[in-house]
Amino acid sequence: MTATPASAAEPVTILRVAVPSPLRRSFDYALPIDSSTTPDILQPGIRLRVPFGNRELTGILLEVSDTTQVSADKLKPAIEILDQTSLIPGHLLKLWLWAARYYQHPVGDALHTLMPTGLRGKAQAGIKKRKSDTLLTGTTELDHPARDDELTDEQQRARDAICAAHGAFQCFLLDGVTGSGKTEIYLQVISDTLARERQVLVLVPEISLTPQTVARFRQRFPQKSVAIMHSGLTPRQRLNAWLAAAQGEADIIIGTRSAIFTPLARPGLIVIDEEHDSSFKQQDGFRYSARDLGVIRAQSETIPIVLGSATPSLESLHNALSGRYRHLRLTRRPGNARLPVTRLIDTSSQTLEDGFSTDLIRAIRQHVGKGNQALVFINRRGFAPVLQCRDCGWTAECRHCDARMTLHRTPVHLRCHHCERREPVHTHCPECQGKAMLAVGMGTERSEALLQRHFPETRVIRVDRDATSRKHELDDLLAEINQGTPCILVGTQMLAKGHHFPAVTLVAVLDADSGLFSADFRGQEFMAQLLVQVSGRAGRADNTDRSGEVLIQTRHSTHQSLQMLINQGYHALATQLLDERRQAGMPPFAALAILRAEAINAGAPAQFLSAARAQAEDLLGQMPNGHQVQISGPLPAPMEKRANRYRQQLLLRSPQRADLQTLLPVLCLQLEQMNTKRNVRWSVDVDPQDMI
């Protein structure tokens, strides 16, 4: 239908609004009936209260027009204009609209997601400070403010290169071994940016890293305001931080993934620490990548961005090697700190005690006996991953997922870590009524119990999601660890990401094999990153008496990838994996998208995706380069049943990203019209980070 003026006699102001709904379109409204607002002061990015069906919703104005395809009798007036000025700068609004299109998400729902919770209703956009509000901090002068550390030659070159890019877009990959002083470079570059009266946005992958990062920034910049953005804050705290950044009151904004959407009044620099971390990719809803959007945002705001990691993602490494990013290398630790010595322990022919070899117990005793700390890494929560009957072989499985129930001992129960279903522990086998119930395998609780038996006089600290569920619990544990008193840490990935524990001299990995044979094509990349990151917690002190050692238990000590990682380092393995990806036509040498479908009915997802594939093939037949897009599936997801829903997926791959971006918007609009959509939940994941 051709757009026509809303009224031939008298032009009507049309408000094009993004409304939080699953529909991939905007909606037109007239001005509020009692509004005295003139069209010339209406700015894209303001919020409006609008009628939507039998509800009232808060939408975001996209544009003002004098034409509409809605007939005059169906054009509803908006209820209320909530803001006098735009909350989202024009260039950012364009960027977020682009992101909604690129990641194939309904525009209204995407914009609703990026707004702080406090602005998703009709509350006024104003900062309300409270005495207990620690969101904006750092305005107190310290007695002895921290000064810049002396840099090594490598660090100095990296710092100078980034500072020289002030006022221009350039993406830097700061690629430095663990403990090489990447954070010190961040701080000095940030100091230079603040001196130019510009703001800095810093992203970290986990909430657990935020307190230590904030503490270090407060110490270094005592007269600057630091705003914190993460999901652990109250809606009011997050809104205060968002508005303080947007109004220029906050100099430094530190946050997790969603902080990438925070407007800056005076943008100067973006830093994304641990850029390889999969936490930067949203896994449900609006499936954006904060890392990739950070690069695009820096380009739109003409500012530099720094991506830092000891184990760069293969995408970022490929961009650096091909010249798209500036590659800055840090190959050694500063001062007297040295990289730890790594050794494999072959457990294929050993009898283990709850997952621990005799050599490993001996090494822990030696390090703790010298007054140091040891870190034991196992990426499984709970006491044991399997509860099994010794007589008949029955295992406790989740009724709602294709997964086994994990045995927990504090308190005693069975839990599915995929749908969080809980059950009491069986004292008798449900199949044969036998009493020989065995806990098979190891988790953090079981490892903690063994260490407490072997080291009764040494404090054993478990760090996982279960042990740190209450507020400030993790902060308290980290503070205790950083006191440096001898102890043994046992935990999951929460311990592997960016923490600085100077007293840790031994890192022990109980099982390195899970990533070697993963069904996910990124499995070996993730395995290598995790091993290097957790190994990097050892020997970080500037003290030759506290040199680091890493012991990795494995049943496949001769595996080529593991041997290459240990003997030649992460970059040698990454080069090999990149070559394999190139030959297989997989990312970063191709664009990938996954169309996922799930339903209570086991056959419905495959039926839906078969129809989707047929539609996609018809569309590709009409595209000039449609033959280059490969479609695989429908295929069952690696975990086909999860949370009582059956899941299937369709993989779409193309050597040219533009071809996928041509296909997906049209395909999604067609899928919205399918009659089966009410029975099937479906979503599109562009540039997926995992295949699960």
Side-chain angles (χ1 to χ4, degrees):
M1 182 184 297
T2 303
T4 58
S7 170
E10 181 180 350
V12 175
T13 300
I14 303 300
L15 307 179
R16 199 140 291 139
V17 181
V19 176
S21 82
L23 300 177
R24 288 169 165 77
R25 49 165 294 199
S26 57
F27 296 86
D28 289 354
Y29 293 89
L31 282 170
I33 295 175
D34 57 351
S35 174
S36 59
T37 303
T38 57
D40 57 307
I41 67 171
L42 291 171
Q43 303 175 31
I46 65 172
R47 294 173 303 148
L48 303 92
R49 199 73 176 163
V50 298
F52 193 78
N54 57 2
R55 298 176 292 163
E56 292 183 3
L57 299 177
T58 297
I60 296 176
L61 181 64
L62 299 181
E63 64 174 329
V64 179
S65 177
D66 59 1
T67 63
T68 180
Q69 295 182 349
V70 181
S71 59
D73 60 321
K74 293 184 178 180
L75 187 68
K76 298 180 180 179
I79 298 169
E80 181 183 5
I81 297 174
L82 299 176
D83 306 309
Q84 297 304 310
T85 58
S86 175
L87 297 178
I88 309 173
H91 72 282
L92 280 188
L93 182 59
K94 290 180 181 178
L95 181 58
W96 304 151
L97 291 173
W98 175 89
R101 292 192 298 270
Y102 179 81
Y103 291 107
Q104 306 302 324
H105 197 74
V107 59
D109 192 60
L111 294 180
H112 186 73
T113 299
L114 67 86
M115 295 287 281
T117 304
L119 293 180
R120 295 177 189 175
K122 51 184 179 180
Q124 293 299 308
I127 297 176
K128 296 180 181 179
K129 297 181 181 179
R130 303 170 184 170
K131 291 183 178 180
S132 60
D133 190 1
T134 59
L135 190 59
L136 292 175
T137 58
T139 56
T140 303
E141 185 84 43
L142 296 180
D143 292 336
H144 301 286
R147 298 182 180 275
D148 291 353
D149 290 346
E150 184 176 346
L151 300 179
T152 65
D153 291 343
E154 286 182 331
Q155 289 176 308
Q156 188 66 49
R157 285 193 293 271
R159 177 210 177 275
D160 292 345
I162 299 169
C163 288
H166 172 75
F169 166 69
Q170 189 161 10
C171 182
F172 297 91
L173 177 60
L174 185 58
D175 179 357
V177 297
T178 55
S180 58
K182 293 184 290 295
T183 302
E184 181 58 34
I185 295 175
Y186 300 155
L187 291 167
Q188 295 202 21
V189 173
I190 288 169
S191 178
D192 180 79
T193 305
L194 296 175
R196 302 173 190 267
E197 299 186 350
R198 296 291 179 177
Q199 293 169 287
V200 179
L201 175 62
V202 180
L203 297 192
V204 294
E206 295 284 349
I207 294 176
S208 63
L209 295 178
T210 308
Q212 71 174 27
T213 305
V214 171
R216 191 162 182 182
F217 276 60
R218 288 176 184 167
Q219 183 184 31
R220 184 63 69 89
F221 308 111
Q223 293 180 305
K224 299 298 182 180
S225 294
V226 180
I228 310 167
M229 296 281 292
H230 60 69
S231 60
L233 302 174
T234 65
R236 170 45 63 180
Q237 288 176 321
R238 296 188 73 182
L239 177 56
N240 281 353
W242 198 88
L243 292 172
Q247 296 168 11
E249 294 185 23
D251 300 298
I252 304 170
I253 298 87
I254 302 173
T256 48
R257 178 177 59 232
S258 62
I260 194 61
F261 297 122
T262 308
L264 302 178
R266 301 172 280 108
L269 175 70
I270 298 175
V271 175
I272 300 183
D273 193 24
E274 309 293 353
E275 66 82 27
H276 67 277
D277 199 288
S278 59
S279 298
F280 286 122
K281 181 68 157 68
Q282 175 71 27
Q283 299 295 344
D284 54 21
F286 182 23
R287 291 174 166 84
Y288 64 90
S289 165
R291 179 196 66 203
D292 296 346
L293 284 182
V295 175
I296 298 169
R297 175 175 181 173
Q299 186 174 23
S300 73
E301 294 182 323
T302 322
I303 60 175
I305 179 172
V306 181
L307 309 180
S309 178
T311 54
S313 64
L314 294 191
E315 285 81 4
S316 294
L317 192 58
H318 173 64
N319 283 331
L321 295 175
S322 62
R324 293 189 185 95
Y325 298 170
R326 175 97 178 260
H327 199 183
L328 305 175
R329 293 293 306 273
L330 303 174
T331 59
R332 60 187 179 87
R333 292 178 170 180
N336 294 320
R338 296 291 179 265
L339 289 171
V341 176
T342 302
R343 182 163 60 91
L344 298 178
I345 298 178
D346 190 338
T347 60
S348 59
S349 59
Q350 293 192 36
T351 300
L352 305 181
E353 181 184 0
D354 288 346
F356 286 75
S357 64
T358 303
D359 289 346
L360 186 52
I361 294 292
R362 185 185 303 115
I364 295 173
R365 181 167 285 109
Q366 290 173 351
H367 282 261
V368 174
K370 293 179 181 178
N372 299 320
Q373 296 175 345
L375 187 158
V376 177
F377 173 78
I378 175 172
N379 208 24
R380 292 194 192 97
R381 294 155 51 205
F383 185 81
V386 180
L387 181 65
Q388 187 176 65
C389 174
R390 185 170 58 187
D391 295 334
C392 72
W394 173 90
T395 57
E397 297 184 351
C398 179
R399 301 177 191 174
H400 295 164
C401 304
D402 290 335
R404 291 166 175 162
M405 303 283 281
T406 298
L407 174 64
H408 286 254
R409 285 281 177 89
T410 52
V412 177
H413 68 284
L414 292 169
R415 187 192 313 174
C416 175
H417 288 165
H418 300 281
C419 70
E420 294 302 318
R421 176 182 174 82
R422 300 190 181 204
E423 292 182 0
V425 175
H426 303 273
T427 56
H428 293 73
C429 174
E431 292 291 331
C432 69
Q433 302 304 310
K435 296 183 179 181
M437 303 299 291
L438 298 177
V440 180
M442 63 247 185
T444 51
E445 289 181 9
R446 190 169 201 159
S447 300
E448 177 188 28
L450 177 136
L451 291 167
Q452 287 172 339
R453 290 198 307 270
H454 278 271
F455 304 95
E457 298 179 358
T458 302
R459 171 90 158 108
V460 178
I461 302 175
R462 177 163 57 92
V463 182
D464 58 21
R465 194 188 309 171
D466 302 313
T468 59
S469 57
R470 287 188 285 270
K471 192 173 183 180
H472 302 308
E473 213 161 15
L474 178 59
D475 295 349
D476 294 341
L477 287 178
L478 294 177
E480 180 182 353
I481 294 167
N482 282 314
Q483 290 176 1
T485 54
C487 64
I488 304 173
L489 319 178
V490 56
T492 58
Q493 289 190 52
M494 294 180 71
L495 283 175
K497 296 182 178 181
H499 294 293
H500 180 66
F501 301 136
V504 169
T505 56
L506 173 67
V507 165
V509 178
L510 292 191
D511 184 5
D513 298 334
S514 58
L516 294 175
F517 308 102
S518 172
D520 191 333
F521 74 93
R522 300 184 192 271
Q524 291 199 25
E525 177 189 358
F526 292 160
M527 176 273 298
Q529 290 168 342
L530 186 57
L531 288 181
V532 172
Q533 291 290 335
V534 72
S535 298
R537 301 316 106 199
R540 297 172 72 94
D542 191 9
N543 185 339
T544 54
D545 294 334
R546 282 189 160 174
S547 57
E549 181 181 11
V550 178
L551 299 178
I552 301 176
Q553 294 189 160
T554 173
R555 295 180 300 277
H556 302 278
S557 60
T558 60
H559 193 285
Q560 180 186 4
S561 296
L562 197 54
Q563 283 290 327
M564 179 174 289
L565 179 66
I566 301 304
N567 296 319
Q568 301 178 48
Y570 175 78
H571 285 78
L573 179 59
T575 300
Q576 175 180 292
L577 294 177
L578 277 172
D579 187 55
E580 292 175 0
R581 298 268 188 94
R582 182 185 292 106
Q583 295 180 36
M586 297 296 286
F589 302 98
L592 187 67
I594 299 179
L595 178 60
R596 293 187 171 98
E598 61 178 49
I600 296 176
N601 183 313
Q607 183 180 1
F608 173 84
L609 290 179
S610 295
R613 175 169 184 156
Q615 293 193 31
E617 289 173 341
D618 287 343
L619 292 171
L620 291 173
Q622 304 169 31
M623 290 171 47
N625 296 320
H627 63 281
Q628 295 192 36
V629 179
Q630 299 179 14
I631 303 178
S632 302
L635 301 167
M639 181 181 292
E640 185 175 4
K641 185 181 180 185
R642 183 173 181 178
N644 213 29
R645 301 183 72 86
Y646 293 89
R647 308 185 304 154
Q648 295 266 332
Q649 52 193 30
L650 202 65
L651 274 62
L652 298 97
R653 182 178 52 166
S654 173
Q656 299 299 324
R657 194 175 305 274
D659 293 335
L660 273 187
Q661 287 297 318
T662 300
L663 167 68
L664 289 174
V666 183
L667 178 61
C668 288
L669 287 174
Q670 291 188 3
L671 296 180
E672 279 187 355
Q673 309 303 318
M674 290 178 60
N675 293 330
T676 57
K677 69 183 181 68
R678 292 191 181 91
N679 303 321
V680 178
R681 295 179 189 166
W682 64 273
S683 62
V684 179
D685 191 353
V686 177
D687 302 335
Q689 285 299 297
D690 66 63
M691 309 298 288
I692 303 302

